[in-house]
């Protein structure tokens, strides 16, 4: 497990300024499709044969879907779903399935996220927590950065007493190629506020999310 503890972001503007944005596309969809054709030829295939004739278009569409998080924003995602509430106990949403893509090989990262926060006068719609995880996951990622982005987004948006995020994932770049170790999985965590400062609070969270990982 890797543990991330760093200074808190205190506003949505700070959150957004710490998130890398997608560079405006300088190529057309036709050029992207042609690039996939070139890759198929380089692999020794014939992109004009029946089974592959539409594959370049499908690959482009699939990649656009898998990275659609670049075109989403926190403001649009939240849609006003932050509410004033006199609550100060832990809120936990666990076992949020995520599907991301490794930025080194553009191969799948498949896992689960557990997210908790302790309110400080503000709460967020529970489904929005899952949507925040989804938005950041649908980008080219490394697991460590994805974990921190989720934590920093909630910390900046809600200014809670603290935020805790644990992400468990298996990486196809380790399973399908390279070291080829199926069954391996990686755990990363990011702790903000009271979760970083108070061992008992952090341990309570870790006890609540502890289970045997199973991604099959």
């Amino acid at each position: 497990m890797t543990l991330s503890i760093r200074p808190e972001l205190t506003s949505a503007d700070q959150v957004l300024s710490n998130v890398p944005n997608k560079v405006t596309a300088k190529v057309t969809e036709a050029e992207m499709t042609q690039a996939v054709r070139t890759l198929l030829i380089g692999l020794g295939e014939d992109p004009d044969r029946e089974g592959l004739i539409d594959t370049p278009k499908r690959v482009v569409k699939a990649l656009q879907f898998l990275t659609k998080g670049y075109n989403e924003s926190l403001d649009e995602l939240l849609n006003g779903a932050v509410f004033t509430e006199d609550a100060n106990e832990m809120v936990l949403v666990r076992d949020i399935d995520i599907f991301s893509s490794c930025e080194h090989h553009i191969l799948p990262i498949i896992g689960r996220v557990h997210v908790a926060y302790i309110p400080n006068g503000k709460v967020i719609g529970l489904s929005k927590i899952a949507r925040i995880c989804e938005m950041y996951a649908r980008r080219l990622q490394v697991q460590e950065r994805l974990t921190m982005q989720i934590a920093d987004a909630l910390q900046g948006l809600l200014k809670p007493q603290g935020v805790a995020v644990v992400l468990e994932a298996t990486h196809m770049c380790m399973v399908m190629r390279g070291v080829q170790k199926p069954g391996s999985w990686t755990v990363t965590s990011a702790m903000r506020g009271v979760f970083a400062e108070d061992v008992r609070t952090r341990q309570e969270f870790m006890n609540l999310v502890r289970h045997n990982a199973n991604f099959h």
Side-chain angles (χ1 to χ4, degrees):
M1 174 186 290
T2 63
L3 176 65
S4 166
I5 302 174
R6 72 183 195 188
E8 299 170 6
L9 302 177
T10 57
S11 72
D13 289 340
Q14 284 181 296
V15 173
L16 294 173
S17 68
N18 277 270
V19 175
N21 293 317
K22 183 179 181 180
V23 176
T24 302
K26 293 181 173 62
V27 298
T28 65
E29 194 164 306
E31 289 172 319
M32 294 171 69
T33 301
Q34 182 57 49
V36 178
R37 282 181 56 87
T38 300
L39 285 172
L40 289 172
I41 293 169
L43 293 172
E45 267 290 358
D46 175 11
D48 292 318
R49 71 176 176 83
E50 183 180 11
L52 291 177
I53 195 165
D54 289 325
T55 293
K57 291 180 182 179
R58 287 192 291 261
V59 170
V60 171
K61 292 293 184 185
L63 287 174
Q64 289 172 333
F65 175 79
L66 293 173
T67 59
K68 66 186 178 72
Y70 285 121
N71 298 313
E72 298 174 340
S73 72
L74 285 173
D75 286 341
E76 293 173 346
L77 184 151
L78 288 175
N79 194 27
V82 175
F83 311 101
T84 300
E85 190 67 41
D86 183 20
N88 59 8
E89 298 293 340
M90 186 188 304
V91 178
L92 168 64
V93 181
R94 55 169 291 171
D95 296 320
I96 301 169
D97 290 328
I98 62 105
F99 303 91
S100 192
S101 300
C102 164
E103 69 178 28
H104 301 135
H105 304 97
I106 315 186
L107 287 173
I109 300 171
I110 302 169
R112 298 190 186 99
V113 189
H114 314 296
V115 181
Y117 72 98
I118 298 179
N120 189 23
K122 297 285 185 181
V123 298
I124 188 172
L126 295 178
S127 68
K128 301 302 183 183
I129 295 175
R131 291 186 183 277
I132 289 171
C133 297
E134 172 80 0
M135 182 185 76
Y136 289 116
R138 293 297 188 181
R139 302 177 180 189
L140 300 182
Q141 281 288 8
V142 296
Q143 184 172 332
E144 296 87 344
R145 182 172 66 234
L146 174 56
T147 308
M148 290 190 295
Q149 285 177 336
I150 296 167
D152 288 341
L154 284 170
Q155 188 67 37
L157 291 168
L158 298 178
K159 304 180 184 64
Q161 297 178 56
V163 172
V165 178
V166 167
L167 171 53
E168 306 166 296
T170 186
H171 294 243
M172 291 301 105
C173 59
M174 287 184 62
V175 174
M176 299 171 63
R177 58 164 301 283
V179 71
Q180 298 182 60
K181 294 298 180 184
S184 63
W185 52 288
T186 301
V187 181
T188 49
S189 66
M191 304 292 166
R192 305 288 183 263
V194 68
F195 287 99
E197 299 159 3
D198 189 326
V199 174
R200 291 177 300 176
T201 303
R202 184 165 64 250
Q203 190 59 52
E204 179 185 357
F205 166 73
M206 298 303 291
N207 287 340
L208 288 171
V209 302
R210 183 174 290 117
H211 64 86
N212 292 325
N214 179 10
F215 302 111
H216 303 292

